[in-house]
Amino acid sequence: MKKVYGSAAEALEGVLHDGMLIASGGFGLCGIPELLIQAIVDSGVKNLT
């Protein structure tokens, strides 16, 4: 299993679908997954929880 990706969008390719539940952790401003969140928004998936 490949665990290193060139971008967040590449890592999410084929994983996201409409209506899914996403849980993502972080700690304060230094630990939030900003690039991951933006890649999810840019993917165009809808109805996420």
Side-chain angles (χ1 to χ4, degrees):
M1 176 180 191
K2 182 178 176 184
K3 294 184 179 184
V4 178
Y5 296 92
S7 67
E10 184 183 336
L12 293 171
E13 189 174 317
V15 176
L16 298 175
H17 56 84
D18 290 346
M20 71 186 301
L21 172 75
I22 297 177
S24 178
F27 183 76
L29 294 176
C30 62
I32 61 171
E34 293 178 67
L35 294 176
L36 179 63
I37 293 168
Q38 190 59 53
I40 292 168
V41 170
D42 293 344
S43 75
V45 293
K46 305 281 187 238
N47 301 319
L48 300 176
T49 300

